[in-house]
Amino acid sequence: GQQVMQIPQYQHVQEGEDFTTYCNSSTTLSNIQWYKQRPGGHPVFLIQLVKSGEVKKQKRLTFQFGEAKKNSSLHITATQTTDVGTYFCAGQAAGNKLTFGGGTRVLVKP
Amino acid sequence: DGGITQSPKYLFRKEGQNVTLSCEQNLNHDAMYWYRQDPGQGLRLIYYSQIVNDFQKGDIAEGYSVSREKKESFPLTVTSAQKNPTAFYLCASSIQMYGTYEQYFGPGTRLTVT
């Protein structure tokens, strides 16, 4: 079945630094979504990518969908303490349900 | 104010007892889902429902049961057959299951079984 893998599992970042988390699918996706879960909270939808090579930005967050539509990345610039949480990607292949990756847990060192 | 409600936020049960977790949505969404999350882990799909009176097993359905008698409600029963039921349970919904629709999550229920 469809599998979605995320790396790294944990990311320790110094406040102010940049980092990237990656998402890889075993199958070609029709779309990919990103969610953020704050500590003690529930996942909240951030963004969706549909087109091959698509790049979308939300303030300091940049999301990219790979050309082959099998991978995606989230890049955060100038990390802040408000960025703490777990970031999940979720991929959907045509005719299949949304499958979540294992998440990247982000810890920020002030 | 539209959204998904789950109750209670914290639930404690003795081993061997069945327990039902509530999930209600007023978003008029057709699809609903139940996920289990263990500490530091990802989301694992327990059951999902595309439409009223229909539901399907997810990846870890053993020891769980659901019903979907109303569009707004999708309760999850954790039975005594579930070997390790202590976890954080999240309910979610989306307009439809297939297509470019995001999922909306409820606040979750933390179940502790001793």
Side-chain angles (χ1 to χ4, degrees):
Chain A
Q2 180 186 336
Q3 290 188 330
V4 177
M5 309 293 290
Q6 280 186 259
I7 53 169
Q9 189 174 358
Y10 295 93
Q11 181 80 54
H12 294 253
V13 191
Q14 191 72 43
E15 191 173 12
E17 290 185 344
D18 302 352
F19 77 90
T20 303
T21 177
Y22 300 90
C23 178
N24 297 293
S25 169
S26 59
T27 58
T28 301
L29 302 171
S30 58
N31 68 85
I32 194 156
Q33 301 174 6
W34 285 88
Y35 293 77
K36 178 182 179 181
Q37 183 178 24
R38 294 183 186 277
H42 58 276
V44 174
F45 173 78
L46 292 176
I47 208 159
Q48 178 170 251
L49 304 169
V50 178
K51 299 176 184 176
S52 169
E54 188 171 14
V55 177
K56 287 188 176 180
K57 292 190 176 184
Q58 286 182 349
K59 298 182 179 178
R60 295 177 294 102
L61 278 61
T62 301
F63 303 84
Q64 187 166 5
F65 202 5
E67 293 291 341
K69 301 183 76 173
K70 293 185 74 173
N71 56 72
S72 181
S73 65
L74 161 59
H75 181 78
I76 300 182
T77 58
T79 304
Q80 299 177 359
T81 55
T82 53
D83 295 324
V84 165
T86 302
Y87 293 83
F88 292 100
C89 67
Q92 186 168 31
N96 285 289
K97 59 186 184 297
L98 197 66
T99 300
F100 282 82
T104 293
R105 193 171 179 186
V106 175
L107 303 170
V108 179
K109 295 177 282 188
Chain B
D1 191 21
I4 300 180
T5 56
Q6 291 186 245
S7 60
K9 190 171 183 178
Y10 298 95
L11 191 54
F12 299 89
R13 280 293 182 270
K14 294 290 188 186
E15 196 172 319
Q17 293 180 335
N18 291 355
V19 59
T20 297
L21 280 57
S22 163
C23 176
E24 303 280 330
Q25 55 101 355
N26 61 5
L27 299 168
N28 200 32
H29 287 175
D30 281 328
M32 296 188 74
Y33 316 82
W34 273 105
Y35 294 92
R36 170 182 172 137
Q37 187 175 36
D38 293 286
Q41 301 297 312
L43 307 174
R44 292 189 289 170
L45 184 64
I46 305 172
Y47 266 98
Y48 60 95
S49 168
Q50 295 185 60
I51 201 165
V52 176
N53 293 321
D54 180 70
F55 50 83
Q56 305 293 330
K57 292 181 179 180
D59 302 317
I60 56 165
E62 186 175 350
Y64 299 97
S65 66
V66 293
S67 63
R68 186 86 188 275
E69 297 176 1
K70 298 188 299 182
K71 188 175 187 177
E72 302 79 20
S73 179
F74 191 40
L76 173 74
T77 297
V78 184
T79 75
S80 57
Q82 167 51 231
K83 296 284 189 286
N84 186 18
T86 295
F88 185 43
Y89 290 88
L90 287 157
C91 178
S93 72
S94 62
I95 293 174
Q96 293 179 11
M97 184 157 182
Y98 300 109
T100 55
Y101 304 109
E102 70 261 33
Q103 293 188 10
Y104 293 76
F105 285 81
T109 293
R110 294 191 184 275
L111 173 65
T112 302
V113 177
T114 57

